[in-house]
Amino acid sequence: PKLYIYMKDINTKKILIILGERFAIYRANENVNKNKILEQVGISRPTLLRFEQGKGISLISFIKLSRSVNKICFFKGLTAKNPLKQSRSFNAQKDSEILSDIGFFIYVERISAHIKLKELAENAGISTPTLNRLEKGHEGVSLETYIKCLKAIGKADKLLEF
């Protein structure tokens, strides 16, 4: 409970800064240079620099960057398996599958808490269609939107495990 209160006090921009700083440390510890990441992940140099500076990127880019520094398992606590979909081991999943599982996690948490889509969207400060896209695992959702939703459902503390 105390951590939840603490996380509610940390704004979304501060969480982005923490994630970007930690990624830069992981990249340095893994001796992975920026050019190798750009080649491996398929994102632009400005996107990588924005993230390391604590600025917004897409959620799918965050997943790809996490995989590049061997931190993809970080998402295990932030995903839920849809029983209607075929399941593979976490490390074998494609980035789009992880994105889908992340969206399903938000959906399951929302339904379990008896929160309507519109209510969660309002609490997170995003539009209902944006939340709908996140829950369905669409690639165009931003990391910032994801953080806002995690904060609104009281799960943002898991982001500090990155």
Side-chain angles (χ1 to χ4, degrees):
K2 286 185 180 180
L3 186 57
Y4 175 66
I5 292 167
Y6 172 70
M7 287 304 296
K8 284 193 81 87
D9 293 339
I10 296 179
N11 68 32
T12 303
K13 293 196 185 302
K14 181 62 178 169
I15 294 171
L16 284 170
I17 291 167
I18 291 168
L19 293 175
E21 288 172 348
R22 288 186 181 172
F23 175 79
I25 291 167
Y26 296 143
R27 186 176 56 75
N29 289 344
E30 293 286 324
N31 290 320
V32 180
N33 70 36
K34 289 179 183 177
N35 291 331
K36 183 177 179 184
I37 287 179
L38 296 175
E39 182 182 312
Q40 177 186 356
V41 175
I43 62 170
S44 68
R45 182 175 296 278
T47 298
L48 176 60
L49 295 176
R50 267 196 321 273
F51 180 54
E52 288 189 345
Q53 295 168 355
K55 296 181 180 154
I57 61 172
S58 69
L59 181 53
I60 193 73
S61 293
F62 180 52
I63 293 167
K64 291 176 181 185
L65 288 169
S66 298
R67 188 182 301 277
S68 76
V69 293
N70 300 313
K71 291 291 179 184
I72 197 66
C73 287
F74 154 75
F75 289 100
K76 275 188 180 179
L78 294 167
T79 60
K81 294 287 180 202
N82 186 334
L84 302 177
K85 292 186 178 180
Q86 185 178 5
S87 182
R88 296 197 266 175
S89 73
F90 198 80
N91 286 332
Q93 283 187 307
K94 295 178 182 176
D95 296 332
S96 60
E97 292 171 314
I98 293 172
L99 185 62
S100 179
D101 289 349
I102 285 170
F104 192 66
F105 173 81
I106 298 289
Y107 170 80
V108 167
E109 291 294 317
R110 179 176 63 78
I111 296 302
S112 297
H114 307 287
I115 300 171
K116 293 183 179 176
L117 186 77
K118 184 177 179 181
E119 183 183 355
L120 178 56
E122 287 173 0
N123 288 340
I126 62 172
S127 70
T128 303
T130 297
L131 176 56
N132 192 32
R133 284 194 305 275
L134 172 61
E135 287 186 352
K136 291 185 178 192
H138 288 243
E139 289 194 14
V141 177
S142 71
L143 176 56
E144 187 172 0
T145 295
Y146 176 56
I147 292 168
K148 288 177 180 180
C149 287
L150 287 176
K151 286 182 70 173
I153 61 173
K155 300 291 181 181
D157 58 305
K158 295 207 177 272
L159 288 170
L160 295 183
E161 296 172 14
F162 178 75

